[in-house]
Each structure stands twice: as structure tokens, then as C-alpha cells.
Amino acid sequence: MAANVDRRRFLTMSAALAAGATGGFSCIEIASAAPIEVPGVDTLSLRVLIDSAHDQFLKPSTVQGVVHQPPGSGRGSDYRKVLHNQWGLSLFLESQRADEARTILLDFGYSPEALLNNIEILKVDPTKVDALIVSHGHHDHYGGLTGFLDRYRAVLAPDLKLYAGGEDNFCHRLSPAGVQGQFTDFGQLDRRDLAAQKVRTVLCETPTVVAGHAFTTGQIKRSSIERILPNTFVERGIKDGLGCDASHYSPAELQGKVIPDEHVHEHATCFNVKGRGLVVISSCGHVGIVNSVRQAQAISGVEKVHAIVGGFHLGPAPKDYLTQVVAEIRNLAPDVVIPMHCSGLNFALEAQAQLPANIIVPTTGSRLVFGA
């Protein structure tokens, strides 16, 4: 469906219509379609603010040049406070190039309570954040955003931007209820909240440089054996200023039906680490982790893959399909594979079987250093 639409025209119309629907909403920016000059960095530090588990007995390790510093007890100065784990992901990314430092907050977990708690315990400095990125429109990746802004917006840069993969981030999403044709609400990202906080949204359907150090993949081409495993459904349209717009609808949508989520807006966040290669961060990987890495390679012209990081959405994968995907990952010859969030224990075990010298399994609070 989306392939038959002029995407630039679609996004421009969407922004204009959203402005009318929200009574003057004007904080959308469209990323340039021109080719980007991919930046490089000397080092990258990744702190896992939120993931689904915390293991205080993990030992420090170095795998293929990547340093993993586990979180230890996960307790703050007040012993009654401990790291919160939840189904979701949030990553605090700090990069360095010569004497120039940049900080990006990628995704925000399921709830602000967990995000704010873990920021305090891990002692990361949110005032350093130069840019925000949301990977896709699922609540377990944007749920903590509004609470984070409520707490810290006054001390963040006045021109702060949120980089999102496309208009589809703001669509209403639903989860199957277990009964054919019935769904439960899975929420939607409300850009009116962003406008109220004076955060400008940049729609990045095309590759985009973020904070001068990172780059996003833009809409990910689907060229591998990978397929979208069943997850959410999506409902397009704007109602009372909330939702997403489309300049076209499928026959099912015209009949008022919700449709399976194809994640046309999902993008990956990438760094080119000097002397090491690409670090590709796929927060959920619905459109395929191999597809995401290939996209990063094509954009950057860099073939060497240093690290594949994040959620790969292979927890629900059947065994034969999982084996195939891990073999495709092995063919990419990454130095390390670092599964988180929705990757699944089944993925970690299969990856350890096929790439025994290349796997790091972190936890909430872990710090990973690339290019050290």
C-alpha cells in the first residue's frame, strides 16, 4: 500500500492536516531527502536505562573490544530504591569525537516512574541530552517520554528535537484481545504534549543525521528473509486532534477496520565508530534486524559491522525461522551481538550456539563502551 504513494507528498500533507486538526499545531519538520554525510565518532557509551531484567551478579567483561560494565546492586544511596525493570527499552547514548561530546536519549520505556527512578539511581545527567529519538510508535518505547519532559524540560536545550521515523508514529495502536476481531487499546503518542513542551518533531522517513554524531536509517527496505511477526494492529485517522493522518486508505480502512501493523515508520539509530565500524541499534526490529543492518551499510557505505544492539523482536519466532535469522546475522560478521528487550531468551540461546564468541547479554543498568 505505502509503496504506491509519494512519501514526501504524504508527509507534507500530513503535517498540514495535523496543523489544522490541532488548531495551529506547527512543530513538525520533515527531514531532507538529500543524501546524508555519515558522521564518525571516536567512542560511544551506551547506558541501558530500562530493560526487562537486572542481574546484580553479572561480572565485567570485554568481548571483541566492547567493554561491558554491569550495574552491580542496582540500588541508590537510599537502599530502599532499586532499579525498575519493565517490558520496554530506554538507552542513554554518549558519543565523543575529539573534544566534542553529544548525548542522545533513545526511547523512554513503558512508564515515566521507571525512567525517572533509574535516571536517579544510575546518576546519568539528563541535562546533557542534545536530542531525543523514538524508534517506533509502541507504548513500551514512548511511554516515559511525557513524564521525562515534565521533569526535565526546563533544563534541556530550548531547541530540543524529537526524531521520529514518520507520521505513522502517532497512529492509534491496538492489541489483539484473543477473540477474533476484538482488540484492546495500546495507546498512541500525543504530539500535542510535545508541542506544549516546545519539542519540535522531525519526521525521518529518509536517513537523518542526529546531533552531528548519529544517523538514522529512515524507512527500512525489506530485502531479507525476515518477516513481521504478529504484534499490534493500527488505526489511522485524526480524531479531536489526536492520531495520525494518511492521504490514502486501504479497502479495509475504508470499511472502518483496523489493519495489521506493518511498522512503516520504524527506524534504527546508528553510529560509525572510528576504526571499528557500525554500531546499529534496533530498538524493536519489527521489520527485521538484518534488514536494519543492511540499510545502515547502504546509507553509510561502511560494510564493517562492529555491533548489532537492541530489541530484535524474535521472542515469538518459531525455531526454524529463528535459526535462519541468526545464520543471516552471522553472515553479517558482527564483532558483537547485544540482544535486549524483545529479542527473547530463545534468540540469546541460538545466538550463543551460532556465535559463541560474539554475544553480550546486558541488563538494566549495564554500560557498554565501543571504541574504548
Side-chain angles (χ1 to χ4, degrees):
M1 177 177 65
N4 297 323
V5 177
D6 181 333
R7 302 298 297 175
R8 290 281 296 170
R9 177 174 172 272
F10 161 58
L11 286 169
T12 303
M13 289 178 65
S14 297
L17 286 168
T22 57
F25 174 75
S26 60
C27 73
I28 282 207
E29 177 183 326
I30 310 299
S32 170
I36 63 170
E37 184 175 340
V38 170
V41 299
D42 297 327
T43 61
L44 170 66
S45 166
L46 182 159
R47 176 75 81 168
V48 184
L49 296 183
I50 290 177
D51 202 349
S52 58
H54 164 235
D55 184 347
Q56 70 174 357
F57 299 123
L58 280 178
K59 302 299 183 186
S61 63
T62 299
V63 177
Q64 307 296 337
V66 176
V67 177
H68 177 210
Q69 300 169 345
S73 70
R75 292 189 291 270
S77 55
D78 179 345
Y79 74 91
R80 292 166 296 186
K81 289 187 175 182
V82 70
L83 289 173
H84 289 185
N85 307 298
Q86 59 182 201
W87 186 256
L89 194 66
S90 180
L91 305 174
F92 193 79
L93 310 172
E94 298 177 278
S95 54
Q96 189 84 26
R97 182 173 59 223
D99 60 353
E100 181 183 78
R102 293 287 185 270
T103 301
I104 296 169
L105 183 54
L106 169 60
D107 286 348
F108 313 93
Y110 206 104
S111 73
E113 293 80 12
L115 181 59
L116 297 174
N117 175 78
N118 292 1
I119 284 173
E120 177 185 344
I121 289 175
L122 295 171
K123 293 182 169 58
V124 300
D125 184 358
T127 68
K128 293 166 54 179
V129 169
D130 297 294
L132 309 172
I133 302 176
V134 60
S135 61
H136 65 298
H138 274 172
H139 189 87
D140 50 322
H141 293 262
Y142 69 75
L145 173 57
T146 301
F148 172 80
L149 292 172
D150 286 343
R151 173 72 62 86
Y152 292 113
R153 183 65 184 99
V155 295
L156 297 170
D159 59 349
L160 186 68
K161 294 180 179 180
L162 172 71
Y163 293 83
E167 171 71 11
D168 203 53
N169 271 275
F170 303 100
C171 293
H172 182 213
R173 285 181 160 79
L174 307 101
S175 298
V179 177
Q180 184 69 30
Q182 294 186 19
F183 304 92
T184 57
D185 185 21
F186 196 42
Q188 57 200 124
L189 181 56
D190 190 341
R191 56 182 143 206
R192 297 171 301 184
D193 293 338
L194 300 174
Q197 295 278 11
K198 295 182 171 55
V199 174
R200 189 173 185 86
T201 302
V202 183
L203 298 182
C204 309
E205 283 221 346
T206 56
T208 305
V209 174
V210 179
H213 280 201
F215 67 98
T216 65
T217 57
Q219 187 172 338
I220 296 168
K221 183 178 179 181
R222 302 163 196 217
S223 59
S224 75
I225 63 164
E226 295 166 300
R227 60 182 185 267
I228 294 177
L229 299 177
N231 57 101
T232 52
F233 283 67
V234 65
E235 183 178 36
R236 294 191 175 93
I238 294 179
K239 187 182 299 182
D240 299 326
L242 183 63
C244 66
D245 184 70
S247 58
H248 66 289
Y249 291 91
S250 69
E253 289 173 310
L254 289 171
Q255 295 172 28
K257 297 179 180 178
V258 297
I259 60 172
D261 201 339
E262 292 293 325
H263 298 284
V264 296
H265 64 302
E266 185 174 23
H267 59 170
T269 300
C270 313
F271 292 84
N272 181 21
V273 179
K274 182 180 179 181
R276 302 299 178 101
L278 296 175
V279 175
V280 181
I281 306 169
S282 171
S283 297
C284 232
H286 291 284
V287 299
I289 185 57
V290 175
N291 287 332
S292 302
V293 174
R294 287 179 178 174
Q295 180 97 353
Q297 290 173 314
I299 291 163
S300 65
V302 177
E303 285 298 311
K304 175 57 183 171
V305 180
H306 183 41
I308 303 174
V309 186
F312 310 149
H313 203 71
L314 289 165
K319 172 63 176 173
D320 58 344
Y321 175 67
L322 179 64
T323 301
Q324 279 186 292
V325 172
V326 175
E328 291 292 317
I329 292 172
R330 188 182 66 229
N331 289 338
L332 293 168
D335 291 330
V336 292
V337 177
I338 306 175
M340 302 174 184
H341 181 40
C342 56
S343 300
L345 176 60
N346 55 339
F347 173 84
L349 294 173
E350 182 64 32
Q352 285 172 334
Q354 292 197 38
L355 299 104
N358 307 89
I359 304 300
I360 300 174
V361 180
T363 141
T364 300
S366 285
R367 182 170 181 255
L368 299 147
V369 183
F370 308 89

